[in-house]
Amino acid sequence: MIKLSSTKNENFSSRNYGIQFGNLKTNYIQMKKIAIIIMSLMLTFSAFAQSKPDKMEWWKAAKFGLFIHWGVYSVPAGVYDGKDIDGIGEWIMNNAKIPTARYQAYAKQFNPVKYNPEAWVKMAKDAGMKYLIITSKHHDGFALFGTKASKWNVVEATPYGKDLLRPLAEACHKNGIKLGFYYSQAQDWNNPGGATYSGHWDKAQDGSMDEYIDKVAVPEVKEILSNYGQVDILWWDTPCDMTKERAEKFLPILAKYPNLITNNRLGGDYNGDTETPEQFVPATGFPGRNWETCMTMNDTWGFKSKDNNWKSTKEILQTLIDIVSKGGNYLLNVGPTSEGLVPQPSIERLAEVGKWMKINGEAIYGTTASPFSYLQWGRCTQKGDKLYLHIFDWPKDGKISIQLLNKISKAYLLSDPKKMLVIEKSKTNNTITLVGDAPDKIASVVVVELNGAPKVLPLPAAGKTATASSEKEGTSAKNLFDGNPKNSWQPKPDDQEKWAEVDLGETISIGAFSVVEPWYPWDNKGQKLEIQYKSGDKWLVALALKTNGTGHTASFPSVSARYFRLKIVEAKEPTLNEWILYRAD
Ligand code: GLC
């Protein structure tokens, strides 16, 4: 196509010179030819424009990235004045209200002589990660790069004296890992005028936020985007005091980088390209939006010497699969020490995840969300007409069943594609018989090939309207089934009943449910709920539980009923955003 247009282009220029005004007929023919040429050029360009890849394509296929929280906070590493400071490590200055001069003195001990960016990139790559995002500046305002906008940076304030981003950027570019910079645009606890969620605790922090944005944040963002070669992601954080006006100051910079992916944390009502659930997996994903769950491997982002509450490889890997099955990406964090070392438990877990990804990566990269809403034994991902069943709980009787209306043409283990598995089809189910022991202790993948797109039964309450004991103004029980995890239902404050109810229209056997709750992971409340069903004229309890505060999915012994209730038994701020009922297998 491009070749054709360039030939025409050459013809166009050479003939054009020959046009004589006196010869109308030649002119008409020439004009017609020109018009055809222009049209074909336009078509070429528009085809080119259409085939221009969407900037999110690589990101959607990537699924797995490394988050790196690194800075001066790795020096106190959770301990200040001999006291263990609660909370996440990178917040130590704020949590312990450390005066700026005391905090800045830690920079004198920030000397990451063991920093090996090549090894970090290799570690990420071997884990199966496709991108990394590093804190170029966190809320403490300390820049990991040489900036002209503030002296509070690694080159000027530490004995190390060298830019930390450059060699990492180079290693990413060399090894084909996409590069992202986290930048705390609003909170800055050391550069005067920067915002803090809890107010200033040191006079040195006072100043004008607008001036801080103009003189520090905007110039630094320009620097990180222009000094390190290609940057693929800019990850804003905590839009504290970010008015629309303040957020707008960053827009002209972004306009220069049309392929840059940004998240939803700039503030001023800018949504960016991605939703960023933090420390949890949204039960329903974010339909219609790209999203990325970021998560720690222990309980802190920035290094804390005494935090040994490591998640197991099983939890990490099953979380990755869970996220991917819901259409999202997983941004998994490491918090290196002030010497520049990634904690050994993180290295080990990443290596173990990498081993699994080597064998099973096909079932992760480039896949889309599961067509099934709930699978008791594991998760599912999809690529075209192929389904990947990730079996977490290998069945004792060797059988797994999926509610799929299609006939399966083939099923086999991803680790053993030659051995076909036996499939039995009933009207609404396919049952696959597995042979032998689970090939993987954490998740064994069965590939299911179909002739055409998967056909599944709709969710029992899809399109139904919930009613409620009461509705607080501005909220509605209708929001529970609208597929939008951001709208909520709240009962009125004086409501003693606090239930929402749905009529499924017919008796259906239900075996599991999900709720989506508003997410405040740092202020995780949890709600006591009951799933009730109507038997005769009585309401019976199918399941009572306390949610984890960020959404919850649970199964229960199946019950057959037409009417179901979700009762909030106890909650500080009773709120539910979505409610999903799943058919029993
Ligand atoms: C939070 C915290 C922060 C951490 C981040 C990661 O907003 O303020 O310390 O960097 O989330 O998502």
Side-chain angles (χ1 to χ4, degrees):
M1 201 60 176
I2 288 171
K3 194 157 184 264
L4 184 78
S5 75
S6 78
T7 329
K8 292 214 165 175
N9 207 1
E10 279 155 29
N11 287 348
F12 169 56
S13 23
S14 52
R15 294 215 183 156
N16 201 18
Y17 290 123
I19 296 175
Q20 299 294 316
F21 283 104
N23 186 341
L24 268 181
K25 197 172 171 205
T26 325
N27 249 359
Y28 173 74
I29 294 167
Q30 294 287 6
M31 294 299 279
K32 212 171 151 189
K33 277 187 181 162
I34 291 168
I36 291 169
I37 289 163
I38 289 176
M39 291 240 321
S40 85
L41 273 174
M42 279 167 63
L43 278 175
T44 308
F45 282 127
S46 80
F48 181 69
Q50 275 165 23
S51 66
K52 207 179 107 195
D54 166 8
K55 72 170 180 183
M56 299 307 294
E57 282 310 312
W58 75 261
W59 187 94
K60 283 194 251 180
K63 303 295 177 196
F64 196 23
L66 180 70
F67 215 176
I68 306 172
H69 275 69
W70 198 26
V72 164
Y73 39 80
S74 61
V75 174
V79 184
Y80 173 58
D81 263 352
K83 277 192 220 97
D84 294 339
I85 305 300
D86 280 349
I88 39 183
E90 72 285 3
W91 272 72
I92 190 167
M93 180 179 178
N94 191 320
N95 291 343
K97 300 290 177 271
I98 304 178
T100 52
R102 284 283 306 272
Y103 189 80
Q104 286 172 26
Y106 286 128
K108 298 275 174 282
Q109 294 168 63
F110 185 77
N111 193 15
V113 287
K114 297 191 178 152
Y115 177 40
N116 184 345
E118 276 279 344
W120 288 11
V121 169
K122 187 170 182 312
M123 173 187 74
K125 208 171 168 172
D126 289 349
M129 291 162 156
K130 301 291 185 188
Y131 60 105
L132 68 77
I133 301 176
I134 184 164
T135 49
S136 65
K137 182 196 96 164
H138 204 269
H139 307 332
D140 66 356
F142 177 76
L144 294 193
F145 55 101
T147 168
K148 295 199 178 86
S150 164
K151 291 200 174 318
W152 182 223
N153 72 74
V154 65
V155 180
E156 287 170 273
T158 75
Y160 187 71
K162 282 175 281 186
D163 190 309
L164 292 168
L165 300 187
R166 187 167 314 282
L168 186 65
E170 283 167 6
C172 284
H173 295 144
K174 194 173 117 198
N175 292 289
I177 290 286
K178 300 274 185 187
L179 173 67
F181 289 140
Y182 165 112
Y183 188 86
S184 174
Q185 75 282 11
Q187 286 205 83
D188 191 315
W189 307 327
N190 278 287
N191 286 301
T196 72
Y197 267 115
S198 46
H200 291 159
W201 58 90
D202 184 327
K203 269 208 159 31
Q205 295 168 320
D206 292 349
S208 140
M209 181 163 177
D210 292 301
E211 218 168 278
Y212 152 77
I213 290 189
D214 291 339
K215 297 207 170 130
V216 179
V218 165
E220 286 191 353
V221 169
K222 278 187 190 156
E223 287 172 333
I224 56 173
L225 293 183
S226 59
N227 289 345
Y228 300 94
Q230 164 123 359
V231 178
D232 304 288
I233 301 168
L234 179 59
W235 216 91
W236 306 114
D237 200 14
T238 61
C240 176
D241 296 336
M242 284 297 279
T243 57
K244 197 156 183 69
E245 233 185 352
R246 287 173 178 154
E248 267 165 11
K249 294 183 179 197
F250 296 94
L251 300 186
I253 317 176
L254 299 187
K256 288 197 188 144
Y257 302 95
N259 290 326
L260 185 72
I261 295 171
T262 62
N263 71 2
N264 63 343
R265 296 189 182 184
L266 172 59
D269 283 339
Y270 289 100
N271 289 330
D273 303 301
T274 59
E275 296 290 320
T276 53
E278 182 174 318
Q279 301 285 38
F280 76 97
V281 184
T284 54
F286 285 91
R289 286 280 286 165
N290 291 305
W291 61 276
E292 175 190 64
T293 283
C294 53
M295 215 175 256
T296 51
M297 281 200 228
N298 49 357
D299 292 329
T300 181
W301 303 92
F303 180 66
K304 263 184 113 171
S305 56
K306 296 185 188 169
D307 184 341
N308 285 310
N309 192 23
W310 298 100
K311 295 181 177 75
S312 64
T313 302
K314 177 177 173 181
E315 190 177 346
I316 292 169
L317 188 50
Q318 291 190 345
T319 303
L320 168 68
I321 297 167
D322 187 23
I323 290 169
V324 176
S325 80
K326 295 181 167 114
N329 280 16
Y330 193 25
L331 185 61
L332 182 61
N333 184 71
V334 295
T337 65
S338 59
E339 281 191 306
L341 294 176
V342 172
Q344 194 57 29
S346 302
I347 296 180
E348 285 160 14
R349 281 155 181 77
L350 291 175
E352 283 167 14
V353 171
K355 269 194 213 144
W356 186 91
M357 292 289 266
K358 268 218 174 70
I359 301 168
N360 301 291
E362 181 191 324
I364 296 289
Y365 306 121
T367 60
T368 52
S370 168
F372 310 107
S373 35
Y374 180 71
L375 296 167
Q376 195 148 2
W377 39 260
R379 299 290 181 274
C380 174
T381 54
Q382 185 182 344
K383 206 183 281 175
D385 294 348
K386 265 189 197 166
L387 299 177
Y388 299 97
L389 311 180
H390 300 249
I391 304 171
F392 295 171
D393 302 316
W394 194 255
K396 290 204 179 68
D397 64 357
K399 289 188 195 300
I400 51 162
S401 155
I402 44 178
Q403 291 176 352
L404 184 70
L405 307 177
N406 316 45
K407 195 170 164 1
I408 295 176
S409 55
K410 269 189 214 171
Y412 49 90
L413 283 169
L414 187 55
S415 56
D416 190 2
K418 288 204 194 88
K419 208 189 287 155
M420 292 305 139
L421 301 173
V422 175
I423 310 147
E424 272 168 73
K425 166 110 180 70
S426 74
K427 201 168 158 218
T428 56
N429 276 44
N430 276 275
T431 304
I432 301 170
T433 304
L434 306 165
V435 204
D437 293 335
D440 191 285
K441 283 198 298 286
I442 297 176
S444 306
V445 178
V446 170
V447 186
V448 163
E449 292 189 11
L450 308 172
N451 298 314
K455 291 188 208 101
V456 297
L457 291 172
L459 285 165
K464 304 280 187 290
T465 310
T467 52
S469 52
S470 73
E471 290 174 336
K472 193 174 161 188
E473 222 185 293
T475 77
S476 166
K478 286 192 187 115
N479 294 336
L480 289 172
F481 298 125
D482 69 350
N484 180 349
K486 290 189 172 174
N487 300 333
S488 67
W489 163 64
Q490 294 176 34
K492 284 191 174 141
D494 58 353
D495 182 355
Q496 300 303 310
E497 299 284 317
K498 297 196 279 293
W499 50 255
E501 182 178 319
V502 66
D503 172 4
L504 300 180
E506 59 182 318
T507 300
I508 300 182
S509 173
I510 301 292
F513 92 108
S514 286
V515 282
V516 175
E517 302 172 275
W519 64 283
Y520 307 114
W522 42 84
D523 185 18
N524 197 333
K525 294 188 194 82
Q527 312 187 69
K528 271 195 188 157
L529 302 180
E530 274 178 15
I531 302 292
Q532 303 182 341
Y533 63 103
K534 202 169 185 182
S535 168
D537 54 4
K538 279 210 182 82
W539 286 99
L540 304 178
V541 177
L543 179 72
L545 79 158
K546 183 163 186 208
T547 70
N548 56 26
T550 53
H552 210 101
T553 298
S555 59
F556 46 84
S558 60
V559 292
S560 289
R562 175 174 165 174
Y563 299 93
F564 282 82
R565 262 188 189 177
L566 180 58
K567 186 173 166 69
I568 305 180
V569 179
E570 202 186 307
K572 269 198 189 135
E573 286 167 41
T575 312
L576 294 166
N577 299 51
E578 291 288 296
W579 173 27
I580 304 152
L581 291 167
Y582 304 112
R583 287 167 211 275
D585 281 347

